[in-house]
């Protein structure tokens, strides 16, 4: 699959646009806004780095990297709420949610 080396940026924007979010920004990270909610979306492949800040974050990656990314986020236990969207080559996707973080209930 040739697309694996490139983060699924277009797919991420399409997913959020189809969900009714207003998408803004260029590059591998963008903002998705709907009503009161602002989600920082990051399209990634197999990077070991995840951001340390934010309130709501979503990581969009190819299917073969999704479980590894979810496990890495669980281990690092960031302060923000997060989810991983696993994208397949045909455009289908699955949302892998995180357990709520302790600060989200406050």
């Amino acid at each position: 699959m040739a697309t694996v080396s490139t983060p699924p940026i277009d797919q991420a924007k399409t997913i959020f646009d189809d969900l009714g979010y207003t998408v803004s920004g260029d590059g591998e990270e963008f903002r998705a806004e709907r009503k009161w909610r602002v989600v920082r979306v990051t399209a990634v492949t197999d990077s070991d780095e995840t951001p340390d800040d934010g309130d709501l974050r979503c990581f969009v990656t190819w299917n073969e990297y999704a479980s590894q990314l979810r496990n890495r986020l669980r281990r690092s236990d960031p302060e923000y709420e997060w989810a991983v969207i696993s994208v397949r080559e045909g455009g289908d996707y699955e949302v892998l949610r995180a357990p709520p973080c302790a600060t989200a209930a406050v």
Side-chain angles (χ1 to χ4, degrees):
M1 174 191 306
T3 57
V4 173
S5 62
T6 304
I9 298 165
D10 293 335
Q11 292 82 349
K13 289 182 177 182
T14 298
I15 289 168
F16 278 88
D17 186 54
D18 289 349
L19 291 171
Y21 283 80
T22 300
V23 174
S24 60
D26 292 323
E28 296 175 6
E29 185 168 297
F30 60 90
R31 292 169 52 102
E33 300 179 58
R34 185 174 72 185
K35 298 182 182 178
W36 59 269
R37 181 175 297 190
V38 177
V39 181
R40 290 173 61 186
V41 181
T42 306
V44 297
T45 53
D46 59 351
S47 172
D48 285 336
E49 295 182 28
T50 53
D52 294 329
D53 63 334
D55 292 324
L56 299 174
R57 284 197 166 269
C58 184
F59 299 92
V60 182
T61 191
W62 297 113
N63 186 53
E64 52 268 27
Y65 299 116
S67 293
Q68 177 184 347
L69 176 58
R70 180 179 58 185
N71 292 338
R72 185 171 55 242
L73 284 162
R74 282 183 172 165
R75 281 191 307 272
S76 69
D77 192 26
E79 294 291 319
Y80 49 81
E81 287 188 63
W82 57 267
V84 174
I85 295 179
S86 169
V87 179
R88 291 180 193 85
E89 187 175 4
D92 293 335
Y93 65 92
E94 177 183 1
V95 179
L96 308 175
R97 297 191 188 276
C101 67
T103 58
V106 176

